[in-house]
Structures are given as C-alpha cells and as structure tokens.
C-alpha cells in the first residue's frame, strides 16, 4: 500500500519494506530446500492509515517520464529532469500562489531511500520579510503512504499571495528529485515554478509549473480527505 509492503503469517508481521525508488513492488515466496505448501495465501493492499484533515498542494504529482519515441511498446520510465540529485548546497523547492485565505498545517519533503539528515523546511511570503516560517524535519519522521514526511506548522493564516516552499539541502547529503515532475494542483493553490538558491533571499526561478524535491505544503480543512496521488 503506497510505499510499503508487509508480510504477515497468522497476523504476525515478519517483514516490511518501504521505498519510493520504484513505481511498483513485487512479492515472492520461497521455502528454502524443503518442500512447502502455502495454505490460505492472500496478497492484498494494506489499509490506509487515518489521515489528518489537511490538504496537499498536489492533487497529483508524477516524478516519472516516459520516452514514447523509443523503439518499444513499453518505454522504460525515467526520473524527471536529471533524476535524483545531491550536488547542490542551498535551498530548493517551489513558488506557489495561494488563491484564497487558508490555514497552514505542515511542510513536507518526499522521503528517498537512505535519507538520514535533518532538513530545514521554510515557508516565505514574497515581499514580506516578517512573514516566514521554519520547521525542522527530523530523519526519524515516518513518511505517509505516498512517501512524504511532514513537520507541523503553527496554526497560521495564509492570506492570498505568492509564497516559496523550500528545503535546505547539503552537497553530498540526502537525495532529492530534479525539476520536471508532471503535477496537478488542488483548487486553493497554483504552482508557479521551481526555485533554487544559496540563500532564501536570493532565489532563482526554474521551470514553470514544476518543483524541486518535491516539497509540499499542507493546509487545514475538512475538505481534504485524500493525500496526493504520487508516482515517483
């Protein structure tokens, strides 16, 4: 289910695998050197855990691309842009326009296999140095069922306007995905472009309607019962 596969016998968990590196997972059974018969075998999706009433920027985001011009009826998918990167020291993320007043809930970053560092996540309102928020995303925060890990914001009101959502990255540190993901936003927000820079006050825009990371902003509200559909 999502990024997780669990193996259980008689309700007892024997193994768990969690990864955002692949689109699909596979389950294999092996009995060693001995003849074995698997009775009452069931392979089924895990039940989704309860989710807080918060809405993501993304209705859908796809970090994979396909070369349909290749000589194949089943093109091999590739990561967006230059794929996974950790060759930049500074801030990466996205510039968004919030369409109506909302209440902030959390900032997030997509987990990648092998992540082990703290990440400073920032939310900055354009044109106002006084309206900025920073949270620490610890490496032990578990990702949700599509791979995003979140750190809670204080209960803040975000007025309509342009904001930057950023993650501070280290050269040689945890990996993040290059710009180029195909995305669809929820109705309250518009993604303007990816952004990057060595300092949050000196950001450069990247591709329009794209994001580095990906990073995410969640808002509070009972209208949001589902997470983004992510294929990364």
């Amino acid at each position: 289910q999502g990024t997780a596969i669990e193996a259980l016998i008689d309700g007892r968990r024997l193994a768990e695998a969690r990864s955002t590196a692949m689109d699909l997972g596979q389950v294999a059974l092996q009995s060693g050197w001995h003849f074995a018969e698997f009775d009452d075998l069931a392979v089924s999706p895990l039940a989704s855990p309860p989710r807080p009433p918060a809405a993501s920027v993304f209705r859908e985001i796809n970090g994979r691309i396909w070369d349909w011009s290749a000589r194949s009826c089943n093109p091999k998918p590739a990561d967006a842009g230059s794929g996974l990167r950790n060759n930049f020291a500074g801030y990466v993320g996205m510039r968004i326009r919030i369409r109506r007043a909302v209440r902030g809930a959390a900032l997030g970053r997509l987990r990648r296999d092998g992540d082990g560092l703290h990440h400073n996540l920032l939310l900055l309102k354009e044109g106002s140095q006084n309206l900025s928020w920073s949270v620490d995303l610890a490496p032990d925060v578990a990702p949700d069922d599509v791979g995003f890990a979140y750190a809670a914001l204080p209960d803040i009101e975000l007025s309509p306007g342009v904001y930057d959502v950023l993650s501070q990255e280290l050269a040689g540190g945890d990996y993040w995905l290059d710009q180029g993901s195909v995305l669809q936003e929820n109705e309250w927000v518009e993604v303007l472009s990816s952004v990057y820079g060595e300092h949050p006050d000196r950001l450069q825009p990247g591709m329009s309607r794209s994001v580095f990371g990906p990073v995410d902003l969640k808002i509070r509200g009972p209208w949001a019962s589902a997470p983004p559909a992510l294929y990364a």
Side-chain angles (χ1 to χ4, degrees):
Q1 177 263 325
T3 59
I5 296 175
E6 286 188 355
L8 303 95
I9 293 181
D10 293 334
R12 197 183 79 166
R13 181 193 300 174
L14 300 181
E16 178 182 7
R18 185 179 291 273
S19 175
T20 59
M22 295 294 177
D23 301 323
L24 302 173
Q26 179 174 315
V27 177
L29 298 176
Q30 184 175 352
S31 64
W33 294 103
H34 307 289
F35 176 80
E37 180 176 319
F38 296 98
D39 293 326
D40 301 322
L41 173 66
V43 178
S44 58
L46 297 175
S48 297
R51 303 186 186 98
S56 165
V57 166
F58 307 110
R59 186 184 304 273
E60 182 175 327
I61 180 169
N62 192 336
R64 297 281 188 163
I65 56 175
W66 285 263
D67 181 6
W68 296 105
S69 64
R71 296 174 60 92
S72 169
C73 61
N74 187 21
K76 182 180 179 181
D79 287 324
S82 299
L84 294 179
R85 300 175 52 183
N86 66 348
N87 59 348
F88 177 75
Y91 296 83
V92 300
M94 63 181 172
R95 181 160 293 162
I96 61 174
R97 176 181 287 113
I98 293 178
R99 301 179 186 272
R100 56 177 172 82
V102 295
R103 304 202 71 83
L107 296 176
R109 179 186 184 276
L110 189 72
R111 281 278 188 236
R112 291 296 174 182
D113 294 2
D115 279 4
L117 300 178
H118 286 257
H119 290 274
N120 184 29
L121 304 182
L122 284 81
L123 176 64
L124 312 174
K125 185 170 185 182
E126 188 176 83
S128 177
Q129 296 181 350
N130 296 325
L131 292 179
S132 62
W133 300 269
S134 174
V135 296
D136 175 65
L137 180 61
D140 58 350
V141 175
D144 64 12
D145 54 356
V146 292
F148 277 97
Y150 291 92
L153 285 167
D155 187 8
I156 53 174
E157 181 171 329
L158 303 175
S159 59
V162 175
Y163 294 77
D164 292 321
V165 184
L166 306 170
S167 175
Q168 186 175 14
E169 303 295 338
L170 300 176
D174 290 342
Y175 282 93
W176 42 276
L177 185 63
D178 198 11
Q179 60 187 347
S181 296
V182 178
L183 59 89
Q184 181 180 356
E185 308 97 318
N186 277 307
E187 51 81 25
W188 59 272
V189 65
E190 175 188 4
V191 175
L192 301 177
S193 73
S194 56
V195 290
Y196 65 96
E198 294 181 357
H199 192 276
D201 291 336
R202 298 187 295 274
L203 297 173
Q204 299 293 323
M207 292 177 59
S208 62
R209 287 187 51 76
S210 194
V211 55
F212 288 112
V215 292
D216 191 20
L217 165 65
K218 275 190 172 181
I219 62 169
R220 304 176 193 275
W223 55 84
S225 59
L230 176 75
Y231 313 95

